[in-house]
């Protein structure tokens, strides 16, 4: 039974994604870390689907759709920001800082 | 045998993910992420989700990662000399929070709801052998989750329109 190991690997991958978001400043790499976290969640969905029915795999399907939509819109925003500020370093994007 | 393949791919996925968040160049990061996604696809196959594994390779490793590399190329970010890592304080705080999240998730994985298990062991594998890889997923997708499935179509349409509007210079 691979349920326990799969959930453990999923936890590790999710934490690596969180760590990446916390330690990097490049917007594109932070975006990749978000995809990594979504992927870790997909892994736990699939692992539980093996025992609780194929509903979990359908959720993975939805997560992938939303991730694709998110990537498309997110990159449009990133390109708009780059055109405006000539940088993707999140430290230089501080308009909302008081 | 299956367990050995699973652990090998788990190791590849974790090492590639660590490489992804530590490489300086965005292109290297993206390629390591593709490696992680492929290893995860292999784990999906071992967990009897063949259709999802194919989708993973096509949608994630194919479409989404090509989009990543395309944007990196478009913005000419390939050869970054200065690192974009935070200072040592940020790294220590990030590491502490990451370990904290991992411990939390590890505790959660230990409380699997055993009493709610509906399928006997090997049932999904038998369904895949009998009905093919897609039918068990499609059966649920087109009946129980029909409305969410149709809503994702609208979501994708909105995403297409939104991406075009946001990325255009003059609307």
């Amino acid at each position: 039974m691979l349920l326990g190991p799969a959930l453990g690997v999923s936890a590790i991958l999710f934490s690596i994604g969180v760590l990446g978001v916390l330690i990097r400043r490049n917007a594109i790499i932070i975006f990749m870390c978000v995809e990594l976290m979504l992927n870790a969640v997909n892994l736990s969905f699939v692992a539980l689907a093996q025992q609780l029915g194929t509903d979990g795999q359908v959720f993975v399907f939805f997560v992938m759709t939303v991730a694709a939509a998110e990537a498309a819109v997110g990159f449009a925003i990133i390109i708009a920001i780059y055109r405006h500020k000539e940088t993707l370093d999140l430290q230089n994007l501080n308009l909302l800082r008081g | 045998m299956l367990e050995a393949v699973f652990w090998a791919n788990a190791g590849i996925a974790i090492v590639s993910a660590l490489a992804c968040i530590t490489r300086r160049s965005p292109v290297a990061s993206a390629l390591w992420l593709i490696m992680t996604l492929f290893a995860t696809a292999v784990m999906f196959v071992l967990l009897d989700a063949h259709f999802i594994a194919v989708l993973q390779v096509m949608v994630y490793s194919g479409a989404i990662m090509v989009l990543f590399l395309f944007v990196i190329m478009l913005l000419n970010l390939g050869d970054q000399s200065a690192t974009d890592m935070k200072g040592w304080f940020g790294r220590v705080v990030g590491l502490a929070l990451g370990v904290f999240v991992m411990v939390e998730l590890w505790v959660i994985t230990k409380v699997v709801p055993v009493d709610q298990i509906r399928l006997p062991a090997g049932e999904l594998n038998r369904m895949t052998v009998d009905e093919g890889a897609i039918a068990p997923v499609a059966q649920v997708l087109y009946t129980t989750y029909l409305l969410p499935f149709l809503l994702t179509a609208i979501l994708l349409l909105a995403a297409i329109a939104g991406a075009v509007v946001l990325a255009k210079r003059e609307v």
Side-chain angles (χ1 to χ4, degrees), chain B residues 107-160:
Chain B
V107 170
I108 292 173
T109 59
K110 294 297 160 206
V111 257
V112 177
V114 183
D115 54 325
Q116 287 176 19
I117 290 181
R118 276 185 271 152
L119 295 182
E123 172 72 9
L124 199 59
N125 191 17
R126 192 195 56 72
M127 275 164 78
T128 309
V129 171
D130 286 353
E131 306 171 26
I134 303 178
V137 184
Q139 177 67 35
V140 183
L141 182 62
Y142 287 120
T143 52
T144 318
Y145 298 102
L146 181 61
L147 186 64
F149 177 63
L150 294 176
L151 287 177
T152 55
I154 299 175
L155 175 75
L156 284 175
L157 184 64
I160 295 168

Side-chain angles (χ1 to χ4, degrees), chain B residues 77-136:
Chain B
L77 301 169
D79 50 341
Q80 282 209 318
S81 46
T83 180
D84 67 318
M85 290 271 239
K86 288 187 179 156
W88 69 267
F89 180 72
R91 279 187 229 179
V92 168
V93 171
L95 196 63
L97 285 173
V99 170
F100 180 66
V101 169
M102 187 157 75
V103 170
E104 274 187 332
L105 290 173
W106 198 270
V107 170
I108 292 173
T109 59
K110 294 297 160 206
V111 257
V112 177
V114 183
D115 54 325
Q116 287 176 19
I117 290 181
R118 276 185 271 152
L119 295 182
E123 172 72 9
L124 199 59
N125 191 17
R126 192 195 56 72
M127 275 164 78
T128 309
V129 171
D130 286 353
E131 306 171 26
I134 303 178

Side-chain angles (χ1 to χ4, degrees), chain A residues 22-24 26 39 51, chain B residues 21 23 56 84 86 117:
Chain A
L22 289 173
I23 66 171
R24 300 302 292 257
N26 188 325
N39 201 53
Q51 310 222 333
Chain B
I21 66 166
R23 291 307 95 189
Q56 168 96 352
D84 67 318
K86 288 187 179 156
I117 290 181

